[in-house]
Amino acid sequence: QQAKLKDVIPNYLNENKDDDDLKQNYDHFEYHSYGTAYNYWLRGNDQMYSNKKYSTLKEELLNNSVYKLSLETFKTLVNKAAILITSDYIKKIKASKDHETDWMIVENEPLELDHIVALLVVADEIKAYKAFNKVICGDPEEKEEKELNYEIYQFSRLLREAVECYGQ
């Protein structure tokens, strides 16, 4: 039986809180389609290709025009991700072979720190998640929305890789 994420995440932030304070509220998660399936890896004639504006996830999350994270929030997410990536459960998560040739993610490649940070943005930063989700699920034919996708290229790519290559 697979462990649940809540069971493997260290309790390091919650040592002095009551059980009621520890209950997570996942009401902000909506069940929907993923929006436009942008291609972040290779240009193709029949695929919606997205350019990137920022070269790193850090630069993007701190500077994008969709929803900027504070440096303190970013550092908190990276620290959480650094702890999670050392857990036995996360070390067991390996890439499938589904995207070896197109996305260049080789089978059994481990989950990277940036993938975990992207997942933590979705789970922990509700306002950022909602703002990014609106762009991801927006109309790709609208020039403004397509340009906003460039603003969150790294986040969107990493989230899609985490789900499609590492999700089970």
Side-chain angles (χ1 to χ4, degrees), residues 96-140:
S96 67
K97 64 179 179 178
D98 297 342
H99 293 287
E100 283 186 319
T101 57
D102 53 357
W103 297 0
M104 308 307 169
I105 296 179
V106 179
E107 184 178 14
N108 293 320
E109 188 173 307
L111 195 62
E112 295 178 1
L113 187 75
D114 279 353
H115 289 110
I116 298 171
V117 171
L119 291 168
L120 287 172
V121 168
V122 172
D124 292 357
E125 297 302 318
I126 297 167
K127 290 180 181 178
Y129 164 73
K130 286 188 174 191
F132 293 165
N133 182 53
K134 187 175 178 183
V135 171
I136 293 167
C137 293
D139 184 355

Side-chain angles (χ1 to χ4, degrees), residues 10-113:
N11 199 18
Y12 65 97
L13 295 175
N14 303 316
E15 293 172 352
N16 299 322
K17 293 186 178 181
D18 295 332
D19 283 342
D20 288 340
D21 292 335
L22 298 177
K23 291 181 181 164
Q24 296 293 320
N25 179 350
Y26 295 105
D27 292 340
H28 64 285
F29 287 104
E30 299 170 12
Y31 294 93
H32 54 66
S33 66
Y34 288 103
T36 302
Y38 280 95
N39 181 348
Y40 302 97
W41 305 271
L42 303 169
R43 286 186 187 265
N45 293 334
D46 60 342
Q47 298 177 343
M48 184 70 74
Y49 183 79
S50 180
N51 290 314
K52 61 182 170 185
K53 183 173 181 178
Y54 304 101
S55 59
T56 66
L57 181 63
K58 177 182 180 180
E59 181 184 7
E60 181 178 282
L61 291 176
L62 297 177
N63 298 299
N64 75 82
S65 65
V66 178
Y67 190 96
K68 292 178 181 79
L69 296 182
S70 70
L71 182 58
E72 182 180 328
T73 298
F74 179 77
K75 286 180 179 180
T76 299
L77 293 174
V78 170
N79 287 338
K80 277 177 119 175
I83 290 170
L84 287 171
I85 205 164
T86 63
S87 73
D88 290 338
Y89 180 76
I90 297 295
K91 286 179 182 177
K92 291 179 188 174
I93 298 174
K94 305 291 183 197
S96 67
K97 64 179 179 178
D98 297 342
H99 293 287
E100 283 186 319
T101 57
D102 53 357
W103 297 0
M104 308 307 169
I105 296 179
V106 179
E107 184 178 14
N108 293 320
E109 188 173 307
L111 195 62
E112 295 178 1
L113 187 75

